[in-house]
Amino acid sequence: MTPIRIILADDHSLIREGFKAILGQSDRFVIVAEPQNGVELVEFALSTKPDVILTDLSMPRMNGFEAMDEIRKADRDVKFVILTMHEEREYILRAIKAGASGYLLKNTERIELEHAIITVHEGGKYFSPSINNILAEAVLRPDGGEVGELTAREKEVLELVANGHSTKQIADMLKISIRTVESHRINMLKKMKVNNSAELIRKALELKLL
């Protein structure tokens, strides 16, 4: 049986080595390239013509979404399985829209990873159970149903915003950067479909998030 040729893209060497070791336990798979960023992913995808691309979404130089777009312009038949820590609804739906046939979290077990790759290679789709739940919610609540969409960190930031703390104070209290706090604020405004902090707090109160 001809091995499934795989590109494994991730900017963390330990992650790549870990999954390479997992897949190396079976003769069904062969890793043909290990790009460390989105630009390398595009280059290797076009030069090696893999059967399946395993890729993270958050990578330097070019993120996974952008890399997928570039690759699919040249090869519409390439199969993508997302392997990431992002389990937010917007990431999942955007990945599927970009052409992903599979979506797994990085804590996946070896059997599930192998099954996902084989399923996608054979023309199917595979999403881990937790991802399937989010997809089902997206179908049942296409308006984006705000409740439950905020991450644990975003909820922490929301509570501190509601208590009147500044961006710098929140950054100091949570031991994260100011830029990260601002990013969380922007994400919350988008998710809650509001335009400013006052509206955000009011909406959060209505939804009993505070």
Side-chain angles (χ1 to χ4, degrees):
M1 184 180 296
T2 303
I4 299 173
R5 302 173 70 254
I6 297 170
I7 281 182
L8 176 59
D10 197 289
D11 58 323
H12 295 97
S13 60
L14 289 177
I15 297 294
R16 294 196 310 275
E17 290 301 319
F19 282 110
K20 182 179 180 180
I22 290 173
L23 295 174
Q25 297 177 42
S26 171
D27 58 8
R28 288 295 309 274
F29 315 105
V30 59
I31 306 297
V32 298
E34 300 175 52
Q36 303 179 51
N37 57 65
V39 172
E40 288 185 359
L41 172 55
V42 174
E43 294 173 350
F44 281 123
L46 300 182
S47 63
T48 64
K49 301 292 183 182
D51 298 313
V52 176
I53 293 175
L54 288 178
T55 182
D56 194 2
L57 294 174
S58 300
M59 293 188 291
R61 300 186 66 187
M62 179 185 292
N63 64 43
F65 297 115
E66 295 167 333
M68 289 171 66
D69 288 340
E70 289 300 313
I71 294 167
R72 284 177 61 80
K73 287 177 184 178
D75 184 357
R76 299 294 298 179
D77 296 325
V78 66
K79 307 289 197 311
F80 289 95
V81 174
I82 304 304
L83 195 56
T84 183
M85 290 303 295
H86 291 294
E87 53 185 328
E88 295 89 350
R89 166 184 166 133
E90 58 267 31
Y91 278 91
I92 299 166
L93 296 182
R94 184 178 174 188
I96 294 172
K97 185 177 181 180
S101 297
Y103 199 108
L104 299 172
L105 300 180
K106 287 183 177 178
N107 60 2
T108 186
E109 299 291 336
R110 177 178 64 83
I111 293 176
E112 183 178 36
L113 176 62
E114 293 181 353
H115 181 56
I117 294 172
I118 293 172
T119 298
V120 168
H121 178 246
E122 293 177 347
K125 297 184 183 298
Y126 188 91
F127 304 97
S128 63
S130 61
I131 301 304
N132 273 326
N133 291 336
I134 295 173
L135 290 176
E137 179 72 7
V139 172
L140 294 173
R141 305 177 69 176
D143 61 344
E146 298 87 348
V147 177
E149 285 196 25
L150 298 185
T151 66
R153 178 62 89 184
E154 287 169 347
K155 289 178 181 178
E156 286 183 300
V157 173
L158 175 60
E159 290 181 2
L160 294 173
V161 169
N163 288 329
H165 295 291
S166 68
T167 297
K168 185 179 186 309
Q169 289 173 327
I170 294 173
D172 292 339
M173 295 170 72
L174 297 180
K175 294 181 172 54
I176 56 179
S177 69
I178 291 177
R179 181 176 179 181
T180 298
V181 175
E182 292 174 341
S183 177
H184 286 315
R185 280 179 178 267
I186 292 172
N187 287 338
M188 288 190 291
L189 292 177
K190 289 180 179 178
K191 289 179 179 181
M192 304 288 276
K193 299 184 175 69
V194 293
N195 299 311
N196 53 55
S197 294
E199 292 180 7
L200 174 64
I201 294 171
R202 183 164 55 250
K203 188 70 169 287
L205 289 170
E206 291 174 0
L207 295 172
K208 296 181 171 32
L209 294 178
L210 291 172

